[in-house]
Amino acid sequence: MKFSAGLPGVMRYPPHAQPWRYAIGVGHAEREFDVLGVPFHERGAITDEHLAAMIELWTSDQPTFAGDHVAFDDIVFEPKPVQRPPPPGGPAILGEIRPEIA
């Protein structure tokens, strides 16, 4: 299954929070994954791969990525984040960034 680069599950913290961060929910409703045909118990690895693809899009002038769930090549991705390095973030539970759950 291929997902878009603009993940709909991305949540932003308030603009006054410094530095700007993002969090991505990995999902908790196994039935929703079943309906989509996505392995529920692989959601952490799938999320990690999407995060790696996003970083590639944000940091490379000629982004290329080949994973099990995300793949792209010969594309243009603009605009890129102004913040360097890119915004920190990761998987989240109830708004708290929890990298250990991925």
Side-chain angles (χ1 to χ4, degrees):
M1 177 176 238
K2 302 294 181 196
F3 294 95
S4 70
L7 295 171
V10 173
M11 303 171 288
R12 287 183 280 164
Y13 283 81
H16 60 278
Q18 294 295 324
W20 191 87
R21 314 188 93 186
Y22 66 91
I24 296 174
V26 297
H28 68 279
E30 190 167 353
R31 176 72 182 127
E32 291 177 359
F33 284 79
D34 291 342
V35 169
L36 295 171
V38 176
F40 179 74
H41 297 290
E42 294 179 25
R43 70 191 189 281
I46 292 169
T47 301
D48 286 346
E49 186 173 304
H50 279 87
L51 289 170
M54 289 170 62
I55 302 250
E56 173 67 10
L57 290 167
W58 288 345
T59 59
S60 177
D61 290 331
Q62 297 177 326
T64 300
F65 192 88
D68 295 330
H69 306 280
V70 180
F72 50 84
D73 187 18
D74 195 28
I75 65 170
V76 174
F77 183 82
E78 296 290 341
K80 298 191 183 323
V82 174
Q83 182 174 324
R84 294 286 180 217
I93 294 178
L94 301 176
E96 178 185 342
I97 294 179
R98 304 278 305 273
E100 71 275 9
I101 66 169

